[in-house]
Amino acid sequence: MNIVVCIKQVPDAAEVKINPETGTLIREGVPSIINPYDMHAIEAAVQIKEKTSGKVTAITMGPPQAETALRDAISLGVDEAILLTDKAFAGSDTLATSYTLSKTIEKLSPDIIICGKQAIDGDTAQVGPEVAEFLNIPHVAYVRKIEDIGEKSIRVQRLMEEGYDVVESTLPVLLTVVKELNEPRLPSLKGKMAAKKAEIKKWTAADIGADEKDVGLKGSPTQVKNIFAPEPKKDRQMLEGTPEEQTDALIKKLMELKCL
Amino acid sequence: MPIVVDKEKCTGCESCLEVCPYDAIDIKDDKAVINEYCQMCMACLPVCPEGAIKEIQEAAEEPTNLEDYEGVWVFAEQRDGTVASVAYELLGAGRRLADELKTELSAVLFGASEQEANELIRWGADKVYLCEDPTLKHFNDEPYAGLLSSLINTYKPEIVLAGATPIGRSFIPRVAAKLRTGLTADCTSLNIDSETRNLLQVRPAFGGNIMATILCPNRRPQIATVRPRVMKRNEYDSNRTGEIINVKAEDLASRTKIIETVKEVSEVSVNLQEADVIVSGGRGLGGPKGFEMLKELAGLLEGAVGASRAAVDEGWIPYSHQVGQTGKTVCPKIYIACGISGAVQHLVGMQSSDIIVAINKNPEAPIFNVATYGIVGDVYEVVPMLIKKIKELKGK
């Protein structure tokens, strides 16, 4: 099986703090990690490779620093890595990102493409299904179990609101995966060595034959108009006094609300 | 890059560094330089005392016949033939948008009956595009995406709304990609810019730490998804009439096949979404033991236990309890947040609760911005006292 994993480098959400005065983010000193859901995508790809033999290629689009995410992926068992980096990609929304990834994947002609269900910085969950559409292949989102992989088809369980569906798809297919799918391994010593030595290919818009009007800002139909911190509530009431007085005041409120 | 610093004018005062939410400005050789983290949010433009930061207007994309598109659509998802409640909520939001645009509100319904279509009209739709084909009874990405795209191409609505449910989040991106248009996920508010007719789509951005207004100015339709329990329903009008347009499905071929559907409803999520009282805990609890205490309090108030993403990520409580952008959206009568700082991604999952009580050590915690009643204090002091006093009250 020839497998492609799409990953994204994101700031570690647990470390992001807000400046209470300005309501803006403090990104200084926040470490970058592989998007947590993509860790499960990598694990799934490596497990399939171990069972069926073949090759796993990780791809990511991002600034030059994203190379570290790809080296981390190699330490986890990925064979090859491609970094899509080009000034022309700056300002991409999900549509432009999906187009760019799909042009890259076309060159690799994989049997299975695996993505995390969403990235924790944008939380849109759009790129996976959009890539599948650009490639004109089927996709299954929210995969929580891979039941069976055949020569030409795959059977998986996808998470739904009130349970799950068992879905069979032809290959090639794109899967987006949830945390329940597996437990990502830790990097092995051999993996760490490989990651150090690996050559990370760097591809530009020209390398993937992307149309310049479909990438980056130009290829992005959505625009951020402005950003802002949420408005504070106006009728807020702070309960003052000793902890006991505060507790009594709260109980009084709860009784007024007929909660007690 | 469309945002640039005029090196001649820049004095290296660093005013722009403080307002940049993305850490996208560096100082090199005493001059500000925009780096690749820039999201073009424009926050730095007005703060520069020298007017040295500018947006370079790239030749804007030619708008694609925007005036050919008219009307607001709601994709009404159904499960087992019954319309999901998120569809009625979207009709509430869609009605407001359509009235503002002085246009029609239509619903699109696949795999259900005329009876359900009539319900959509009573909840505010003027028209329903109905495809009763039994193949569409169970959700499958390719036929759903194919049929919805073809209807959009035929009837050209300017706005399409769908639920941010496992179904909507799976196939709506395919529709957007087919139509080469913009899609904004998980909107928390939708409004119209009266000058341009553009849809102003507000959603949490950047890990849910801040809100962003997103536009799709040059392509149509503008597509947005909204999570359940975010928008308010309209009044139900049993006398309301409208038009049902039966549509034929042409090509329902699919490369994915549903073999089996298994129901498996977690008791926790039902409790969370139906409870009148939710007692929720965050990082401030410091460990799994804190949740034992919250369970006791929730039990006394006949409520359910929720949690922030931080507490779930720490492994103190299962994901099924998570409230927020990547967990559940809840709106109980009373939400008691204990040791939750109140990141935007949590707030968007609970801020429509009727009454919010916040207990937190840090008086600066953003949770107090949305609280009805705030207590600055140690959860390990306040909550046990609360439990003791409620027990005494109940004992009487």
Side-chain angles (χ1 to χ4, degrees), chain A residues 25 65 118 121-123 133 136-137 139 161 164 166 168 223 225-228 233 236-237 239 244, chain B residues 21 36 138 166 169 174 178 203 206-207 211 213 215 255 257 259-260 262 368-369 372 374 389:
Chain A
L25 300 167
Q65 300 90 299
Q118 65 198 52
D121 56 350
D123 283 322
E133 182 58 40
N136 190 22
I137 61 168
H139 82 273
E161 197 123 326
Y164 65 92
V166 180
E168 205 169 84
Q223 299 171 3
K225 182 170 176 275
N226 61 334
I227 56 170
F228 57 93
K233 224 180 206 172
R236 168 182 81 171
Q237 191 183 340
L239 306 177
E244 180 147 23
Chain B
E36 57 280 345
H138 199 84
R169 287 184 130 223
R174 276 198 98 105
K178 265 186 207 293
R203 78 179 300 265
F206 210 79
M211 305 300 285
T213 310
L215 291 180
R255 289 167 288 188
K257 212 163 62 188
I259 307 291
E260 195 187 352
V262 182
F368 289 120
N369 287 336
T372 324
K389 287 184 185 266

Side-chain angles (χ1 to χ4, degrees), chain B residues 1 10 24 29 82 92 97 104 133 171 182 188 203 247 293 300 331 338 386 395:
Chain B
M1 294 290 265
C10 178
D29 303 328
T82 307
L97 299 174
E104 278 179 341
D133 197 302
F171 92 100
T188 54
R203 78 179 300 265
V247 292
M293 175 173 86
L300 288 168
C331 56
C338 305
L386 206 52

Side-chain angles (χ1 to χ4, degrees), chain A residues 16 23-27 227, chain B residues 16-24 41 43-44 206 210:
Chain A
V16 176
T24 56
L25 300 167
I26 305 167
R27 270 196 59 157
I227 56 170
Chain B
C16 51
L17 260 66
E18 287 163 28
V19 298
C20 177
Y22 299 105
D23 200 18
C41 73
C44 54
F206 210 79
I210 207 154

